[in-house]
Amino acid sequence: MNRIIAIDGPAAAGKGTLARRLAAHFALPYLDTGLLYRAVGRRVLDAGHNPSDPVAAEAAARAITPDDTQRSDLRGPVADEAASAVAAVPGVRAALLDFQRRFGGANGAVLDGRDIGTVVFPDAAAKLFVTASPEARGLRRYRELLGRNTAADLATVTAEIRARDAIDASRAAAPLKSAEDAILLDTTELDADQVFARALALLPGFA
Ligand code: DC
């Protein structure tokens, strides 16, 4: 059995927190694949191009290095929008596929994203699809922004989450959807500790 845990789901569902805790628990490396798309979006903007331009976006994806994911400007509405745009470019997804498979291939890993269980590691030993209602996700993102002293409006944040869901789920290239063999974990009513406990209970065969 491989040691890949694939965690997919929409924005602000609690994937990252869960993935980080599972990685620590099983002593596996962790990759937040959303950061790769965010870093590609930033590179395209730095070069003065439009993130929807397929040639510029693919060139940026081919040039990406692990250091790019450490940039301090990968969060916020501009990075969100640029990431969502480059994520719809098939050439970007192909370039990042190699990166992600190399990351997980050798000794296993926990990866979170939108297409880990469907495209990147369809044979992952464990697959979770983590979701929550748009209202719950909007509230979490809103609190996160306030925690970072960023002014935010709950209705606007929730509307942006819904808009990104629609873009991620309707794009032709690797749309957001659960793998058929993924286990659904709805976190609407759960806090981070409960989500972690539930996930461990759902992965009994994983060690
Ligand atoms: O998880 P996130 O919000 O950081 O993701 C940023 C964007 O990248 C989002 O629009 C979805 C996209 N993405 C993707 O298409 N595939 C992934 N594996 C991860 C993220």
Side-chain angles (χ1 to χ4, degrees):
M1 186 176 87
N2 64 59
R3 284 175 51 80
I4 301 284
I5 301 181
I7 302 186
D8 290 304
K15 302 185 301 288
T17 305
L18 173 61
R20 220 168 274 115
R21 290 182 73 165
L22 287 173
H25 182 82
F26 292 114
L28 289 169
Y30 164 55
L31 182 63
D32 171 353
T33 66
L35 285 183
L36 299 176
Y37 292 90
R38 290 171 179 277
V40 173
R42 275 292 177 198
R43 263 188 183 259
V44 178
L45 293 175
D46 288 350
H49 295 295
N50 182 329
S52 297
D53 172 347
V55 175
E58 182 174 344
R62 299 239 168 248
I64 211 87
T65 70
D67 283 349
D68 284 283
T69 62
Q70 307 295 320
R71 289 177 64 147
S72 58
D73 56 358
L74 299 181
R75 302 276 170 205
V78 174
D80 287 351
E81 207 178 306
S84 205
V86 299
V89 175
V92 168
R93 305 202 72 87
L96 295 185
L97 193 58
D98 297 341
F99 188 107
Q100 295 167 88
R101 288 193 175 148
R102 275 198 307 276
F103 185 90
N107 300 309
V110 182
L111 297 94
D112 77 48
R114 304 291 189 288
D115 63 342
I116 310 302
T118 50
V119 175
V120 182
F121 285 108
D123 297 327
K127 298 183 189 179
L128 294 173
F129 192 81
V130 179
T131 189
S133 70
E135 292 74 21
R137 292 186 287 123
L139 187 59
R140 282 178 201 163
R141 185 51 55 85
Y142 170 71
R143 288 186 176 143
E144 206 180 289
L145 290 167
L146 293 191
R148 279 192 262 135
N149 287 324
T150 306
D153 169 67
L154 177 58
T156 307
V157 171
T158 307
E160 282 169 1
I161 290 231
R162 284 184 188 277
R164 277 180 62 211
D165 283 358
I167 294 172
D168 292 340
S170 65
R171 68 178 178 226
L176 167 67
K177 66 165 194 252
S178 176
E180 278 178 15
D181 53 351
I183 301 170
L184 181 70
L185 180 46
D186 188 325
T187 69
T188 304
E189 308 285 342
L190 306 178
D191 66 23
D193 287 343
Q194 291 169 320
V195 172
F196 180 58
R198 188 74 63 91
L200 281 186
L202 291 170
L203 304 176
F206 199 88

